[in-house]
Amino acid sequence: MHKRTWRLVAAAAAFAALTTAAVGCGSDGTTSSSSTTKAESGGGEPKTLNVPADYKTIQEAVDAAKAGDLVLVDEGTYNEAVDVSTEDITIRGVDRNKVILDGEFKLENGIRVLDTDGVTVENMTARNYVSNGFFWTGSDRYHGSYLTAYRNGDYGIYAFDAYHGQLDNSYGSGSPDAGFYIGECFECDAVIDNVVSEYNGLGYSGTNSGGDLYIINSTFANNRAGIVPNSGSYELCYPGRSNTIVGNIVHDNNYLDGPGIDASLLAQGNGILLAGSINNTVERNLVYNHERTGIAAVPFPEDDASDVPPPESDLDKPCDEVKDQDLPEKSPGFVLWPATGNSIVGNVVSESGLADIAEGTIAEGDQTLGEAIEALDNCFSDNTVTSTSPTDLQELAPCEGEGSGGDFAAGALDITVLVTEKPEAPDNTTAYKDTPVPGDQPNMPDAATAPAPIFKGPKKPDVDAITVPEKPAG
């Protein structure tokens, strides 16, 4: 036996093989989070460290800051890769569009918060980094607000093995992997609210994450695929589960010309794709104009897996209780991660090439395809659609009451056909450098004078109050 290790390897080929068919900000735009000032926590009066007036670089100011302090960055372009190791500080630009961290396609990360808690980063832009724009890992109580990340070579705004977080009022574009990512956490206790993600491989990606994880009131458009929570043993805390995806606008995720990791290349053309992710709630989203499916639940096939899906009795265990468990000494080989127990209700979906709502899988053993699909136990109700796969899906698998008893194989998604349609991969080392430059984004109100409270974690959003959004003009 050997211990699990963090392996950020590409399971893209496996994911792609199947998916070819891939903050608390309230709905009124106001911040909804829990926070306290340094004085309230007994730490004395906070200070403001000005860049470049007091400190020439952002890194120098961050290194000098104490818990409760504000690093306030003036207008300018900063060719820095900033590492943060001081907890409970705020790093803020005075103008989101004029405070720019620029990696010049040489530096790794714009701002990286590593094993440090309570760090807020807000009201600035990170562009042209070879890895990530803004990155929290191993962090608790993380907060990113009014951030712009574009033309970064991996992720735009990224949280990994991080908890009690909030990403709001932000924009991510031009990343081969995802504009926004939250991965390897359960229960995550995180909120993504009022963000825009476009021209990425994936608008949102989340591997093995979930549990009080809310993706709400946001727009995912013109990516290769829109919102893609997924599972796999190549990261820990599997499977992905219990995400709440409500009130988003997801459209035109058919982006063929920009960057994309292999998973996103073959997942392209799908709006909301639950790839081996289980027990998710997908409600009241507006989803339209996708070459393949609007909303679909499909399994995630993983070659040379490290482990098999855990028993149902382990699904409520927090990540810390399972991440150090023993792995099988020998790889189980090919593993099919099922997309089960998902609830798709009250969405408005249209203009999908294959089906507006769909579920699919591969029959194993003596199962028929219809039996395999029915056993997934996904449910579909009150969705406004014109096409489904299987045919009559909402009658076959309603979320309340008994199904019609019809044939789940009729009109089923033909996964084997989709596997053969592999698009050509771009050169991701260069393709992200040519994605569109965004226009100016909304600024944080009173950025130069607003207080900088210590962030204590997100407030659970009132999901029931969210309605299907209006279709944007044009």
Side-chain angles (χ1 to χ4, degrees):
M1 305 291 285
H2 61 281
K3 296 290 184 181
R4 289 189 174 123
T5 57
W6 171 27
R7 301 189 308 142
L8 290 177
V9 300
F15 179 33
L18 190 59
T19 57
T20 304
V23 59
C25 172
S27 59
D28 61 355
T30 60
T31 299
S32 54
S33 62
S34 175
S35 59
T36 183
T37 65
K38 185 177 180 183
E40 289 170 341
S41 63
E45 289 299 320
K47 298 182 299 181
T48 298
L49 291 72
N50 293 284
V51 180
D54 301 325
Y55 297 88
K56 185 176 180 180
T57 66
I58 301 171
Q59 186 68 69
E60 289 175 1
V62 165
D63 291 344
K66 307 295 184 184
D69 287 349
L70 167 65
V71 173
L72 188 62
V73 186
D74 207 347
E75 295 178 10
T77 299
Y78 299 83
N79 305 124
E80 298 187 55
V82 179
D83 283 341
V84 183
S85 58
T86 302
E87 66 179 15
D88 293 333
I89 64 172
T90 296
I91 306 167
R92 180 192 300 162
V94 298
D95 189 303
R96 176 179 180 178
N97 303 297
K98 297 179 181 179
V99 176
I100 300 171
L101 287 85
D102 191 332
E104 302 179 292
F105 302 118
K106 299 175 183 177
L107 302 176
E108 289 289 327
N109 302 287
I111 293 182
R112 180 177 64 168
V113 182
L114 180 61
D115 296 323
T116 305
D117 301 336
V119 175
T120 292
V121 184
E122 56 193 9
N123 211 49
M124 59 179 58
T125 294
R127 70 186 185 195
N128 303 340
Y129 287 89
V130 298
S131 291
N132 312 295
F134 301 98
F135 180 25
W136 289 261
T137 181
S139 300
D140 194 12
R141 300 183 290 106
Y142 63 93
H143 186 202
S145 186
Y146 290 95
L147 298 176
T148 297
Y150 71 95
R151 289 186 172 177
N152 298 299
D154 200 356
Y155 299 92
I157 301 175
Y158 180 22
F160 182 85
D161 188 25
Y163 292 82
H164 312 300
Q166 169 178 313
L167 303 173
D168 63 74
N169 297 297
S170 294
Y171 175 92
S173 75
S175 291
D177 202 310
F180 291 83
Y181 179 94
I182 295 177
E184 196 181 293
C185 54
F186 185 84
E187 291 181 347
C188 302
D189 186 25
V191 178
I192 293 178
D193 192 352
N194 195 31
V195 307
V196 175
S197 186
E198 59 184 2
Y199 302 113
N200 304 286
L202 303 171
Y204 168 83
S205 176
T207 301
N208 301 341
S209 55
D212 285 329
L213 197 167
Y214 299 87
I215 304 170
I216 59 175
N217 304 323
S218 296
T219 298
F220 301 87
N222 300 308
N223 306 285
R224 289 185 178 268
I227 301 174
V228 188
N230 67 288
S231 302
S233 62
Y234 58 96
E235 288 184 9
L236 302 180
C237 302
Y238 38 83
R241 58 203 185 275
S242 303
N243 295 276
T244 299
I245 303 169
V246 178
N248 302 286
I249 300 173
V250 185
H251 70 92
D252 292 283
N253 292 288
N254 310 303
Y255 186 40
L256 303 181
D257 299 325
I261 60 169
D262 283 350
S264 68
L265 293 177
L266 294 173
Q268 67 191 25
N270 296 285
I272 300 174
L273 190 68
L274 309 176
S277 189
I278 70 173
N279 299 340
N280 299 291
T281 297
V282 181
E283 295 187 4
R284 286 163 276 140
N285 300 282
L286 177 66
V287 184
Y288 59 94
N289 197 24
H290 291 98
E291 291 182 354
R292 294 187 171 122
T293 69
I295 302 173
V298 297
F300 182 108
E302 184 180 10
D303 289 319
D304 194 25
S306 298
D307 204 353
V308 298
E312 186 174 351
S313 59
D314 282 356
L315 293 179
D316 290 333
K317 291 182 178 179
C319 190
D320 286 345
E321 289 187 15
V322 300
K323 66 193 309 181
D324 292 325
Q325 289 179 358
D326 291 329
L327 279 172
E329 187 171 302
K330 183 179 179 181
S331 167
F334 175 83
V335 170
L336 193 69
W337 297 82
T340 65
N342 297 293
S343 176
I344 292 88
V345 177
N347 302 280
V348 177
V349 191
S350 64
E351 302 167 86
S352 305
L354 295 177
D356 289 336
I357 55 174
E359 62 175 340
T361 191
I362 298 172
E364 298 181 290
D366 295 331
Q367 279 185 318
T368 66
L369 179 59
E371 289 170 339
I373 297 173
E374 184 175 8
L376 296 173
D377 197 31
N378 298 306
C379 74
F380 303 79
S381 289
D382 300 324
N383 300 287
T384 301
V385 298
T386 59
S387 60
T388 74
S389 181
T391 305
D392 299 324
L393 180 55
Q394 298 195 95
E395 290 74 29
L396 290 168
C399 293
E400 294 184 2
E402 294 294 324
S404 64
D407 185 4
F408 278 83
L413 205 61
D414 190 346
I415 302 281
T416 58
V417 172
L418 300 176
V419 168
T420 65
E421 300 178 13
K422 184 176 180 180
E424 184 177 349
D427 181 354
N428 284 323
T429 63
T430 59
Y432 75 97
K433 300 177 183 180
D434 297 322
T435 52
V437 175
D440 285 352
Q441 302 297 311
N443 261 293
M444 172 184 174
D446 303 316
T449 57
I454 294 172
F455 183 72
K456 305 303 289 186
K459 181 180 178 181
K460 187 174 180 177
D462 183 3
V463 171
D464 290 342
I466 299 173
T467 59
V468 177
E470 297 287 336
K471 189 171 184 179

